[in-house]
Amino acid sequence: MTDRRADDFRVRPSAPKNRGKGQGQSFVSKVLKQAGKASSGKSSMRHSVVGGSGTRAGQRPGSRLGRGHTAARFAGAKLTPLSRRVTIKTLLVNQRQASPQSLAKHLRYIERDGVGRDGKPGQAYGPQTDEAYLDAFKERCADDRHHFRFILSPEDGAELEDLRTYTRHLMGRMEADLGTGLDWVAVNHWNTDNPHTHLIVRGRDDTGKDLIIAGDYIADGFRHRASELATEWLGPRTELEIQQTLQCEVEQERWTSLDRTLKRELGDGGQVQIERFNEPRLQRQRLLLIGRLQRLQRLGLADEVQPGTWAVHSDAEKTLRALGERGDIIRTMQRAMNGEPRELAVFEPGDDGRRVIGRVAAKGLADELRDRGYLVIDGVDGKAHYVALNARVELANYPTGAVVEVKGSADMRAADKNIAALANDGLYRTDHHLAIAQGQAVPGRDPQEVVAAHVRRLEALRRAGIVERVTEGLWKVPDDLAEQGRRYDAQRLGGVAVELKSHLPIERQARVIGATWLDQQLIGGGLGLGGLGFGSEVKDALQKRVDFLAEQGLVERRGQRVILARNLLNTLRSRELAQVAKDIAAETGLEHRPVADGRRVAGIYRRSVMLASGRYAMLDDGMGFSLVPWKPVIEQRLGQQIATTMRDGVASWDMGRGRGMSIR
C-alpha cells in the first residue's frame, strides 16, 4: 500500500531533447533567447549604469556565463577617482577559424628585436620562470579551441619597479577570481612611451576543459583588478597628477577622458549645459571641460548655440578617433624619415590604378593585438607613403631597405572575368578553355600554362568556398564570380598587394652580378624618378651601376649616351645562376642541371635561394639539381616532389596531383 494519490504530480527532470532542425541549440542558448524576448528586445545592450561600487547593472544575458562572473561584481569596489588607471585590450582567438600560423606569428612578434629595454629583443616569461620557451607553449596550445590575448598598459607603468612581478601578482588574482590555474606567457614591451605587457593565456583550465571567462570579467573585472593592484603599489593619484593629465587632454586631437565626460553630460538634442559643471562631481573639471568645448569648436565638432549651451556634433567621437589614429601615423612616418622634409601620404587601396614604388624605410605593427603590420615607403616620387597591411602579411618578407611595389588589390581579376565569361550554365570546363586558348595563341604564352593559371586561381577560390570542383577539369562557378573574387582578395590582402621587387638595397644592387631592379630602371630610362629622397638616390645609383656594367663589358659609353649590351638581363641572370650553381654543387656534391626552355624538370623541392635576379627554387632529383624561378604557390610543397616546365623564362608549376613525375 502507498499513500500516494492518483492525481499526484511528480517532476522527473531529464536532459533537454533535440527535436529536429533548429532545435539543436543548447538549453542555455534557448534560455538566453527567451530572456532577451522578455526584456523587450534590449538584452543585446550592455547598459552603462554604474553604481558607487563600480559594478555594472543590467548586463545582457550571457555576460555572466563562465568563470569570474561573481568576482566581476565585486572587483573595483574600492576604486575611486584617485585610483591608478590601467588600459587592457582583449582578443579571443578561435584557433579553428584563425590561420594555422596565427599563434606562432603572434609569439614571434611579441618577442621580436627592439621591444625590450635599451632596444634588446623581448624576453618571454611565465608564472615560475624568467625565460619561457614559446615553442613549448605553442605546442601545448596546438589542440586548444581558443586562446586569449591581452595587452596590459598601466598608465604609470614606467613608475612600477618590476613590471614582471606586477604581472605575476595580477595573474595570481585572476586565477583566484576564475577558480582555476592558468597556463600563460608574457612579454614586456618598452618600445613605446608607456611600457606595456603582452599576455597570452591558454584556452583551457587546470582540468583540461575549455576555459570560458565571463563577459563581465573580460569587460570590467580584469581591468578593475589591475587598477587595484597598481594603486596598492604606487598609491592613489594626487590631485596635481590628475589635473596635469587632464590639462594635457584639453588640446589633444584625439578622443580623451574629457570627451567621455562631455558625452555622459549630453542631454536631448546632443547639447550640454555649462551650469551642470558647477555640480560637486564636476566642479574640479569645470574650466577644463569648457576649454575642451572651445577646442572642439575650433576643430568644427562643437558649437555654442547660445550662452552656456553647447551642441556637440554626433560624429565627434568618430572624427576624434580618426584624428588620433592619423596623428599616430604621421608621427610614425616622421620618425621613419628621421626628420627629413617629405610630403607625407597614406596609401588608400581604393584608388583605382594607383601604385607606389620605393624603398622600405620602416615597418612595424599598427595593431599589436591582431598582428596587423604597416610599411613606410620612401617612394621614387619623392613622397613618404604609409601602407597598412593585412594581418596575414608577413613583415619578414619585406626587409628594411628592400624595393617594393604597392598596388590596390580591390580590382576584379582578369582571370575571374575570363572564367565567368567561359562558363556555361555555371560550369567552367578546362578543355573548352584550352581549345579557345590554342586558337588565340600569342607568341611567348603557352595555352596550357594560361589554363593552368586559371585552375590555380580556382583552387584558391575553392578553399574559400566560392567555387566547387565537380570533377577533374569541371568547375561549378557562381554568376558573380568576379565580384566575389574581388571581395575575397580585399579581405585576404586588406585591399593592398605588396610585391617585392628586390630584397637588396640599391647600394648593393649597384655593384652585383645579377639582373637587378636597377637594371630594369636603366633599360626603362629612369622614368618617374623624383628629385627628393629615394628618387634622387636611385638616380645616383644608376650612374654607379653604369660604371660597374662598363667594367663587366656590358655597357659602352659614347659621350653622354649609354649603349647597353643586347639581352642584358638574361646575360646578368645567367652569370649569377652559373656562380650560385657552382657554389651549391660544391656544397652538396650534386651535379647542376641547367634548365632548357620547353623542358620539364622534376625533383624534390629542397629550399629556395634569394638572388639579385630574384628568388629561385632548388629541385633535387637525387643525382643532380636545377634552379628554377620560385613562386609562392610552391612554398607549401617544401620537401615534396614537384615539377615545372620553363617557357620564355617563366616557370609553369605542376604539383603532380594524380600523375607521376619524370624529367623529359
Side-chain angles (χ1 to χ4, degrees):
M1 289 275 307
T2 176
D3 57 359
R4 181 172 59 87
R5 297 191 337 227
D7 61 347
D8 279 351
F9 176 75
R10 292 184 298 169
V11 178
R12 295 182 178 178
S14 63
K17 296 180 174 61
N18 186 344
R19 301 187 183 277
K21 185 178 181 180
Q23 302 297 318
Q25 58 185 315
S26 69
F27 180 67
V28 173
S29 299
K30 294 181 181 179
V31 172
L32 295 179
K33 183 177 180 181
Q34 295 303 319
K37 293 179 179 179
S39 61
S40 303
K42 298 179 181 180
S43 62
S44 62
M45 301 285 293
R46 184 181 290 272
H47 302 286
S48 58
V49 180
V50 180
S53 65
T55 58
R56 189 181 295 271
Q59 293 94 340
R60 59 180 174 82
S63 63
R64 295 184 178 181
L65 288 178
R67 295 178 178 270
H69 65 87
T70 301
R73 298 170 58 188
F74 301 98
K78 299 180 181 179
L79 295 178
T80 70
L82 300 179
S83 298
R84 302 284 172 173
R85 298 185 299 184
V86 180
T87 300
I88 296 182
K89 296 181 179 180
T90 306
L91 180 66
L92 171 64
V93 180
N94 188 324
Q95 297 185 172
R96 299 172 184 175
Q97 298 178 357
S99 68
Q101 298 300 317
S102 175
L103 179 58
K105 180 180 177 181
H106 185 69
L107 293 174
R108 285 200 307 273
Y109 279 164
I110 63 175
E111 215 179 24
R112 66 189 183 276
D113 288 341
V115 300
R117 289 184 181 270
D118 303 322
K120 297 179 180 178
Q123 176 59 61
Y125 60 92
Q128 305 295 333
T129 178
D130 290 341
E131 295 183 4
Y133 295 99
L134 296 184
D135 287 342
F137 180 79
K138 180 184 66 176
E139 291 177 4
R140 294 198 301 272
C141 296
D143 297 326
D144 294 354
R145 187 184 70 175
H146 63 274
H147 68 267
F148 299 90
R149 299 179 187 177
F150 300 94
I151 298 179
L152 314 178
S153 182
E155 186 179 53
D156 307 294
E159 299 180 24
L160 293 171
E161 294 183 1
D162 189 348
L163 194 56
R164 184 176 296 178
T165 303
Y166 170 84
T167 302
R168 286 173 174 153
H169 279 245
L170 178 60
M171 294 306 296
R173 296 192 180 188
M174 186 180 191
E175 290 180 333
D177 288 339
L178 302 184
T180 180
L182 299 174
D183 189 358
W184 59 269
V185 293
V187 179
N188 297 333
H189 281 196
W190 301 87
N191 60 325
T192 61
D193 295 336
N194 197 43
H196 57 279
T197 300
H198 286 261
L199 177 67
I200 300 92
V201 181
R202 278 191 68 188
R204 292 191 184 273
D205 59 22
D206 52 11
T207 67
K209 297 180 179 179
D210 290 336
L211 175 63
I212 309 299
I213 304 178
D216 282 353
Y217 193 86
I218 290 288
D220 300 305
F222 192 30
R223 175 171 52 85
H224 289 160
R225 290 300 193 210
S227 295
E228 290 172 349
L229 185 59
T231 305
E232 293 173 13
W233 279 38
L234 301 175
R237 294 184 297 166
T238 65
E239 288 286 350
L240 179 60
E241 288 175 326
I242 295 174
Q243 289 299 111
Q244 288 176 338
T245 301
L246 294 176
Q247 186 65 53
C248 294
E249 292 183 357
V250 172
E251 295 295 324
Q252 287 182 355
E253 294 184 359
R254 63 172 64 246
W255 183 252
T256 68
S257 65
L258 291 176
D259 299 314
R260 286 192 289 271
T261 301
L262 291 173
K263 183 179 180 180
R264 288 195 296 268
E265 300 304 315
L266 290 178
D268 297 336
Q271 296 184 349
V272 59
Q273 306 292 331
I274 296 295
E275 62 183 19
R276 294 177 63 91
F277 299 162
N278 295 324
E279 298 178 5
R281 59 188 178 86
L282 297 174
Q283 194 171 13
R284 291 179 301 179
Q285 302 180 28
R286 183 178 185 278
L287 294 179
L288 297 173
L289 291 170
I290 294 174
R292 184 59 177 171
L293 285 169
Q294 293 171 343
R295 176 57 173 158
L296 294 179
Q297 185 181 38
R298 294 194 295 273
L299 293 173
L301 300 175
D303 298 295
E304 190 174 16
V305 294
Q306 60 184 35
T309 301
W310 289 77
V312 180
H313 296 187
S314 59
D315 61 345
E317 180 176 354
K318 180 181 178 182
T319 303
L320 287 169
R321 291 188 184 278
L323 285 173
E325 182 179 351
R326 194 168 185 89
D328 293 339
I329 290 174
I330 290 174
R331 286 188 290 273
T332 297
M333 297 174 71
Q334 289 172 337
R335 286 195 299 269
M337 293 295 101
N338 296 318
E340 297 179 12
R342 287 287 196 286
E343 182 179 346
L344 307 180
V346 177
F347 183 81
E348 299 291 344
D351 294 351
D352 295 337
R354 184 185 175 195
R355 67 172 187 166
V356 171
I357 299 177
R359 170 179 59 199
V360 178
K363 60 182 180 178
L365 292 179
D367 186 342
E368 291 191 320
L369 204 61
R370 294 173 174 81
D371 302 327
R372 292 187 68 251
Y374 70 84
L375 300 176
V376 177
I377 307 297
D378 189 0
V380 296
D381 57 0
K383 301 178 182 178
H385 302 265
Y386 181 92
V387 181
L389 305 174
N390 185 274
R392 295 179 178 270
V393 176
E394 189 64 70
L395 285 176
N397 293 335
Y398 309 106
T400 302
V403 181
V404 297
E405 179 180 6
V406 181
K407 298 182 292 185
S409 64
D411 295 337
M412 294 183 181
R413 290 202 183 194
D416 296 344
K417 294 179 180 178
N418 292 339
I419 293 169
L422 292 169
N424 187 14
D425 293 332
L427 294 175
Y428 164 83
R429 300 178 182 275
T430 56
D431 55 353
H432 175 61
H433 190 177
L434 180 60
I436 294 177
Q438 289 172 340
Q440 302 173 347
V442 177
R445 293 197 68 188
D446 180 40
Q448 291 187 350
E449 168 56 21
V450 171
V451 176
H454 286 71
V455 172
R456 288 194 294 271
R457 173 63 173 174
L458 285 167
E459 286 287 356
L461 297 177
R462 179 188 62 81
R463 292 190 291 270
I466 298 174
V467 303
E468 177 185 350
R469 185 171 64 233
V470 180
T471 186
E472 191 72 22
L474 182 63
W475 297 79
K476 185 178 180 180
V477 302
D479 295 335
D480 60 342
L481 175 66
E483 174 59 24
Q484 289 197 44
R486 185 196 65 79
R487 291 199 298 265
Y488 164 73
D489 288 339
Q491 181 181 9
R492 182 175 62 90
L493 301 171
V496 172
V498 183
E499 181 183 354
L500 182 67
K501 291 296 186 179
S502 177
H503 70 287
L504 295 177
I506 57 171
E507 296 81 8
R508 291 186 58 189
Q509 292 184 43
R511 298 190 62 82
V512 69
I513 294 294
T516 68
W517 177 78
L518 274 181
D519 297 316
Q520 297 175 13
Q521 301 305 303
L522 193 62
I523 294 172
L527 299 177
L529 299 178
L532 294 175
F534 186 59
S536 176
E537 294 178 25
V538 172
K539 292 179 179 179
D540 295 339
L542 285 175
Q543 295 301 317
K544 296 178 181 178
R545 184 62 173 170
V546 169
D547 294 339
F548 176 77
L549 293 178
E551 297 172 6
Q552 306 299 316
L554 298 174
V555 162
E556 181 183 354
R557 290 185 181 272
R558 295 180 183 177
Q560 298 296 321
R561 295 181 60 195
V562 175
I563 309 300
L564 306 179
R566 298 188 61 171
N567 298 321
L568 175 64
L569 296 180
N570 288 335
T571 301
L572 289 168
R573 187 180 299 110
S574 298
R575 290 186 181 183
E576 183 181 29
L577 284 173
Q579 182 58 52
V580 171
K582 183 180 179 181
D583 295 339
I584 295 176
E587 175 190 344
T588 62
L590 297 173
E591 178 186 355
H592 175 227
R593 302 179 186 273
V595 182
D597 195 65
R599 295 287 302 274
R600 188 168 182 267
V601 180
I604 297 175
Y605 172 32
R606 295 296 188 189
R607 60 175 171 167
S608 65
V609 184
M610 287 295 293
L611 307 179
S613 303
R615 191 172 180 180
Y616 284 77
M618 174 186 170
L619 299 187
D620 177 5
D621 66 2
M623 296 180 292
F625 71 93
S626 300
L627 296 174
V628 292
W630 177 91
K631 285 186 178 181
V633 69
I634 73 168
E635 198 57 25
Q636 297 180 350
R637 301 295 182 118
L638 186 64
Q640 299 180 21
Q641 183 90 355
I642 56 177
T644 184
T645 303
M646 293 292 298
R647 293 184 178 89
D648 298 323
V650 178
S652 173
W653 289 99
D654 179 6
M655 301 305 170
R657 189 179 67 244
R659 59 170 52 170
M661 297 284 187
S662 62
I663 298 178
R664 294 188 295 157

